[in-house]
Amino acid sequence: MSRQDPGAEQPAPSGRRQGSAFGWMLLVYMLVVIALVTLAPFRFHWPRTVEIADYLALKDTLLNLFLLAIPGFLFQLARGRRGDRLCAWALVAGLSFSAAIEATQLLLPGRYTSPYDVLANGLGAWAGALLYQRIGPSVAKRLAGQLLLELPLMN
């Protein structure tokens, strides 16, 4: 009778691929860069009034859609799960990260918060994750094949 060590790593269940540590590192790096760029110059203070924009600007909306598209792609890459075909977790993560950024912008003078920005960022993350679902695995296979051809042959 064989006994398994409880601390031993178990294989991934069939149909699910384990996430990529490199993908998680890239995702965190991208999110830190986005937070730094978005929140610069870091002159936080308690506002006297809360400014929430109630209008929708096409240019801002398009920029916000693209802001989290790459992190959405990386999120799905890092998770490595194929079972989430609707990419709902990427949408939730994008909305959460965007809400945190927008809430922090309340503490910056001259900045405003917009619920439309949160929605556009979340949809951008969701679109990036859907793009990964569509092309990610084929790109990864092609890239792996190209990298394999560049390895030196050894005995």
Side-chain angles (χ1 to χ4, degrees):
M1 178 171 13
S2 69
R3 296 169 67 188
Q4 291 183 341
D5 180 18
E9 187 175 328
Q10 300 296 322
S14 63
R16 288 187 159 196
R17 193 180 52 142
Q18 288 184 329
S20 160
F22 183 67
W24 285 114
M25 290 185 336
L26 275 176
L27 175 63
V28 169
Y29 175 77
M30 284 290 293
L31 293 177
V32 167
V33 168
I34 288 171
L36 289 174
V37 169
T38 305
L39 299 174
F42 308 108
R43 295 186 184 127
F44 300 110
H45 76 331
W46 289 109
R48 292 187 182 145
T49 61
V50 174
E51 296 181 40
I52 297 178
D54 59 349
Y55 60 88
L56 186 63
L58 181 63
K59 180 181 174 185
D60 288 342
T61 302
L62 291 175
L63 290 173
N64 283 315
L65 279 169
F66 288 114
L67 181 67
L68 291 185
I70 293 173
F73 187 92
L74 293 174
F75 179 80
Q76 203 65 15
L77 167 74
R79 287 190 70 227
R81 291 179 175 87
R82 302 285 298 154
D84 187 15
R85 296 185 61 81
L86 296 177
C87 302
W89 284 111
L91 177 62
V92 170
L95 289 170
S96 301
F97 179 75
S98 179
I101 292 288
E102 292 293 322
T104 308
Q105 283 183 349
L106 288 171
L107 304 174
L108 292 170
R111 302 290 290 272
Y112 60 88
T113 297
S114 171
Y116 299 116
D117 290 353
V118 174
L119 182 61
N121 285 333
L123 290 175
W126 184 58
L130 288 173
L131 181 65
Y132 175 80
Q133 289 288 94
R134 182 79 175 137
I135 67 166
S138 64
V139 170
K141 285 179 187 175
R142 192 170 5 150
L143 183 60
Q146 289 173 351
L147 291 176
L148 188 61
L149 290 176
E150 293 178 12
L151 291 175
L153 297 175
M154 295 183 171
N155 242 341

